[in-house]
Amino acid sequence: MEQQYKLIPYILFGLLSSHFGSAVVAAPKICPPGLEADSPTVPFSIEQADINSGALSFQQISNHGKSLFDARFNRCDGSGRPETTGGGDKRDIPSFSEEGEPITAAQVEKLRTSAPDSDACSGCHAQPESGGAGDFVANVFVLAQTLDPVTLSVSPTRSNSRNTLGMHGSGPIEMLAREMTADLQAQRAGLGDGVHTLTTKGVKFKVKIANGQVVESEGIDHDLIVKPFHQAGKVISLREFSNNAMNHHHGMQAEERFDLNPSKGMDFDGDGVERELTIGDETAISIWQAQLSTPVQVMPEKHEEREVVKHGEKVFNDVGCTSCHVPSMVLNTRHFVEPNPYNPAGNCKSAEDGCPNFSFDMTKTGDKPRLEKGPKNTAIVRAYTDLKRHNLCDDANSANPIRWFCNEQLAQGRPDQNGKPGSEFFLTRKLWDVGNTAPYGHRGDISTITEAILYHGGEARASRDAFAEKPVEDQKALVAFLKTLQIVPQKK
């Protein structure tokens, strides 16, 4: 099916129906007036009803998701959002930006800072293959997309510059976060006022409850939902991540958030295209990302090099890195289930929204290498993270403070962090793909693993100092160990 997308730029409805058998493929998209001679990159959508009924196979759903992830969307697809912000609100197009510079129609249609800033998801998520991480040039300017008027500035007073993270292994990560969330909320339900420590998967979260409400929480929002996506742990699911990104970066609007929302309605962004991404499309792109291969350890062939790696793993543990970069956690289910019941409004989360559960076994289905099986239908997630937010900044008044990760100036609106900039509270980075997803750091401005370690401050300062005090050979071994943790690209 994937090759058919590439060979046929536009396909008649009859051919689509023939390809999908009895499936009810959504009507082909039609270019807006004036562009009738052209055609959309992805000429059709799929309907959630066909996913629900089983008319589409797992592979057909996944392949369609990949076509959406790799597509270079154009105006006929619905790219662009001339009347809305990247946050999904209506805006007036001003004559001048806040910097006093004139804004032209072209700048509104495509703008590196406030976006839309990309044609394809794979334009940024590309290393070492589609779905992977991004170079510094692919950085996104978080919060700039919500500005009205838009900004031309990359100043930290206008946005937070963030590097593109890899999506491989995201299916297991989302399911791990769901299990942790359910566990934390169940523990919270039986507690009275006071300070409590909740523990899930071996990770501790301190919370303060007053008048029956969580008023303070350590490393997590007050709702006790583990949010495993984005550098600062802001997004709950692959679906929310995709809905946000499609609107923000491409101006592609999901019908579940826009067309079906009575307060917004059809063609809310005013680009002349309706139902740009159907509920079925969003399910497909979530499923494709969830089935991406699981990063693994790729050991060197030579015995002496393997011994160095093994020693490096011991050093990694000895200096305390594993207190946050937890080597592995047990997942109680091997199945990825879409949608996520904790999704926020505007994202399908249940059958009531038109999204009954669709699931697949992550140890048996999807790109290889797949999730590792554990005993009794469990699975092992070797991601090297605790899915908790931590402060990586030394106090500015301390002796020899390390504040590399303290360069963001805009708060993320998290009440649990007292409005402090997100740079002080990043989600523990998953290290299972660190070996081939350079550069490093939240801005992608760190070129080596050694620098990334030495720039840790705050809660990680003791481990950083322990590493710095180690002999160079031990440091080399630790770095060699981390370089073995990789995404294994699919064979072409």
Side-chain angles (χ1 to χ4, degrees):
M1 185 173 71
E2 184 183 338
Q3 288 188 349
Q4 190 169 10
Y5 296 151
K6 296 176 181 177
L7 295 174
I8 306 176
Y10 51 93
I11 309 174
L12 295 176
F13 182 75
L15 291 177
L16 294 174
S17 298
S18 174
H19 182 75
F20 282 105
S22 61
V24 183
V25 180
K29 292 180 180 177
I30 300 174
C31 291
L35 298 178
E36 293 91 345
D38 221 301
S39 59
T41 305
V42 181
F44 62 93
S45 293
I46 61 174
E47 297 290 6
Q48 184 67 32
D50 288 323
I51 297 175
N52 300 344
S53 69
L56 297 176
S57 69
F58 171 86
Q59 201 57 54
Q60 287 174 321
I61 297 168
S62 178
N63 284 353
H64 185 67
K66 186 179 191 304
S67 77
L68 291 167
F69 196 92
D70 289 343
R72 295 183 181 279
F73 295 116
N74 63 34
R75 286 277 307 282
C76 297
D77 292 291
S79 72
R81 42 178 173 77
E83 297 180 8
T84 60
T85 70
D89 298 318
K90 280 287 188 182
R91 65 179 171 91
D92 295 322
I93 301 176
S95 299
F96 296 88
S97 71
E98 74 276 5
E99 290 88 358
E101 299 180 43
I103 294 180
T104 67
Q107 287 174 321
V108 172
E109 290 177 1
K110 190 72 69 69
L111 187 62
R112 186 66 187 87
T113 48
S114 290
D117 54 5
S118 177
D119 296 313
C121 301
S122 59
C124 297
H125 293 274
Q127 297 177 188
E129 64 176 5
S130 181
D135 198 352
F136 183 82
V137 71
N139 277 15
V140 59
F141 300 96
V142 176
L143 300 181
Q145 80 277 9
T146 66
L147 298 179
D148 182 14
V150 298
T151 181
L152 303 180
S153 173
V154 296
S155 164
T157 63
R158 305 301 300 165
S159 63
N160 295 326
S161 177
R162 298 271 179 82
N163 192 232
T164 304
L165 293 175
M167 304 309 295
H168 287 70
S170 291
I173 289 297
E174 181 172 337
M175 294 308 299
L176 192 65
R178 288 193 217 179
E179 290 187 358
M180 294 174 73
T181 296
D183 195 6
L184 291 172
Q185 293 189 348
Q187 293 176 50
R188 154 68 186 95
L191 299 175
D193 289 356
V195 177
H196 308 273
T197 298
L198 311 180
T199 303
T200 178
K201 309 288 185 185
V203 182
K204 298 182 184 299
F205 295 87
K206 185 180 293 185
V207 300
K208 181 179 179 181
I209 300 174
N211 299 318
Q213 302 294 320
V214 176
V215 295
E216 293 181 19
S217 51
E218 178 186 78
I220 191 172
D221 288 334
H222 295 351
D223 57 15
L224 302 186
I225 296 177
V226 177
K227 302 175 175 70
F229 302 114
H230 279 207
Q231 309 246 19
K234 292 285 292 179
V235 175
I236 293 171
S237 68
L238 286 168
R239 193 177 199 100
E240 183 189 5
F241 172 83
S242 300
N243 283 346
N244 291 349
M246 282 290 187
N247 180 62
H248 174 176
H249 300 300
H250 315 310
M252 293 289 293
Q253 299 194 320
E255 69 169 345
E256 62 199 63
R257 184 172 294 181
F258 294 93
D259 303 62
L260 298 178
N261 184 338
S263 68
K264 295 189 175 180
M266 310 298 283
D267 195 24
F268 185 68
D269 59 354
D271 62 3
V273 180
E274 299 177 357
R275 299 192 78 211
E276 297 173 11
L277 293 165
T278 64
I279 294 176
D281 288 338
E282 286 297 343
T283 296
I285 199 168
S286 297
I287 292 299
W288 181 75
Q289 290 174 93
Q291 67 80 54
L292 285 169
S293 66
T294 300
V296 294
Q297 184 173 28
V298 181
M299 292 292 283
E301 295 183 0
K302 294 182 179 180
H303 172 75
E304 58 270 25
E305 292 178 355
R306 290 197 300 272
E307 291 303 306
V308 170
V309 169
K310 291 177 182 178
H311 178 61
E313 184 174 11
K314 181 179 182 302
V315 176
F316 185 78
N317 180 68
D318 289 346
V319 299
C321 296
T322 55
S323 61
C324 295
H325 294 284
V326 179
S328 66
M329 292 187 191
V330 176
L331 190 57
N332 295 331
T333 178
R334 295 174 180 176
H335 284 79
F336 179 83
V337 183
E338 176 65 22
N340 192 315
Y342 300 106
N343 276 342
N347 302 273
C348 250
K349 62 179 180 180
S350 68
E352 295 179 359
D353 301 322
C355 300
N357 285 349
F358 178 90
S359 68
F360 67 93
D361 188 330
M362 294 179 286
T363 67
K364 296 180 179 179
T365 305
D367 290 348
K368 297 178 180 179
R370 295 174 181 150
L371 183 63
E372 179 183 342
K373 292 181 179 179
K376 298 181 180 180
N377 295 316
T378 63
I380 311 300
V381 183
R382 302 186 187 279
Y384 293 88
T385 180
D386 58 4
L387 295 183
K388 180 179 178 180
R389 294 194 289 252
H390 293 278
N391 183 352
L392 299 180
C393 292
D394 284 345
D395 187 288
N397 297 319
S398 63
N400 302 314
I402 296 176
R403 296 183 57 79
W404 185 272
F405 294 101
C406 313
N407 53 7
E408 293 188 352
Q409 296 183 23
L410 300 183
Q412 300 299 296
R414 291 196 301 269
D416 60 310
Q417 307 298 4
N418 300 315
K420 293 181 180 179
S423 61
E424 296 189 29
F425 294 93
F426 287 116
L427 196 69
T428 300
R429 177 67 67 91
K430 300 180 290 292
L431 296 181
W432 59 355
D433 63 357
V434 69
N436 58 352
T437 55
Y440 310 110
H442 65 282
R443 294 188 68 244
D445 54 0
I446 303 174
S447 62
T448 67
I449 292 175
T450 302
E451 290 169 296
I453 297 172
L454 293 176
Y455 292 154
H456 278 59
E459 296 176 53
R461 182 62 189 260
S463 295
R464 175 265 178 208
D465 289 348
F467 170 81
E469 293 169 2
K470 286 286 185 181
V472 172
E473 291 306 310
D474 283 350
Q475 295 180 357
K476 287 183 176 180
L478 187 153
V479 171
F481 158 65
L482 290 178
K483 287 183 176 180
T484 65
L485 306 179
Q486 299 180 15
I487 295 168
V488 179
Q490 300 300 297
K491 295 180 180 179
K492 303 298 183 182

